[in-house]
Amino acid sequence: MPSKPVLSEADKRAVRERLRELCEECWIAQGYKKTSVKNLCSQAAVSIGTFYTLYPAKEDLFLETIENIQSRLTERVLEINRCQQTKAGFAQSMKDLVREYDSKPFLYHVNTPDFQAFIAKLPEEAIRKIKLDSFAVFRQAVQAANLTLKMEQSQAFGILSALLATISAKETLSVTCDYFAVFDCMTDILVSRIFQ
């Protein structure tokens, strides 16, 4: 009986990257519950056996995918603030972040049955890992932007968290106004009030 081909470490990294890309696309298009391992494997041109040698369960791929997205978003915010060390640069990073959230609703619509089905299958430690520590991200962004706060750090970060939380009201607000125009205006006003 011929032995199965063994994937090199480089092959494993490439397959994992492809599966994460497909997972993100499918999660956006159809949600967690409707995304099957079989479909992901078919699209990635890998066997189901190969999938399970890389990921013990479907949730492990989804967890890795959401962590990858969060890491990418954090790096984008930090890069903008490193390159544009101004209040305008900081405001731009918040505007970019909310637009990225908008393209990936599963990042903020965490109370949907679909997201809850995903969370229900995760151990507590994994759940803690995906709860983005926005205060830590804001702290890093302020340092990268080399800005000085006018107020207590916790209050400033609370204001920025509340600002980003308005994305969950986008559908309601969009009935009467251009949500992104309102968000951009609020961002500019709040950033000018928060920083010296």
Side-chain angles (χ1 to χ4, degrees):
M1 178 185 242
S3 63
K4 294 181 181 177
V6 178
L7 292 174
S8 69
E9 288 305 312
D11 290 339
K12 287 179 186 177
R13 282 191 300 275
V15 170
R16 288 177 90 99
E17 178 61 32
R18 179 68 180 133
L19 286 169
R20 281 193 305 266
E21 289 170 3
L22 290 167
C23 180
E24 185 175 333
E25 291 170 16
C26 291
W27 205 347
I28 292 166
Q30 60 198 31
Y32 159 77
K33 289 196 269 187
K34 291 182 181 177
T35 300
S36 71
V37 169
K38 181 180 178 184
N39 184 285
L40 289 169
C41 290
S42 174
Q43 290 183 55
V46 298
S47 71
I48 291 175
T50 296
F51 179 92
Y52 285 111
T53 62
L54 299 172
Y55 298 100
K58 171 181 160 179
E59 293 72 31
D60 294 297
L61 170 61
F62 276 75
L63 180 61
E64 191 174 286
T65 300
I66 201 165
E67 289 172 345
N68 191 53
I69 293 167
Q70 288 175 334
S71 177
R72 199 171 65 223
L73 291 176
T74 298
E75 189 48 45
R76 177 187 276 173
V77 166
L78 296 179
E79 183 61 27
I80 291 170
N81 284 292
R82 283 186 207 108
C83 293
Q84 300 176 48
Q85 294 186 329
T86 63
K87 290 191 275 188
F90 192 92
Q92 187 59 53
S93 72
M94 294 297 101
K95 293 170 187 178
D96 284 6
L97 184 59
V98 83
R99 283 163 174 81
E100 190 64 24
Y101 274 173
D102 185 55
S103 72
K104 294 168 182 53
F106 61 84
L107 290 174
Y108 64 89
H109 281 314
V110 295
N111 293 322
T112 63
D114 192 70
F115 195 85
Q116 290 303 309
F118 165 58
I119 291 291
K121 296 202 176 189
L122 297 178
E124 279 299 315
E125 181 181 323
I127 294 170
R128 278 192 298 275
K129 282 176 78 175
I130 63 171
K131 287 186 176 176
L132 181 64
D133 183 356
S134 59
F135 279 16
V137 173
F138 291 141
R139 195 173 297 112
Q140 291 172 359
V142 169
Q143 288 174 338
N146 201 25
L147 295 173
T148 304
L149 293 168
K150 287 183 185 177
M151 60 185 62
E152 171 134 356
Q153 191 178 65
S154 61
Q155 182 181 15
F157 295 162
I159 290 168
L160 293 171
S161 291
L163 174 66
L164 288 175
T166 65
I167 188 70
S168 62
K170 179 187 173 229
E171 288 179 30
T172 304
L173 293 171
S174 292
V175 171
T176 58
C177 62
D178 176 346
Y179 168 76
F180 288 113
V182 170
F183 180 86
D184 292 352
C185 181
M186 289 187 340
T187 301
D188 292 337
I189 292 167
L190 291 174
V191 165
S192 72
R193 297 275 310 270
I194 290 172
F195 297 107
Q196 291 183 5

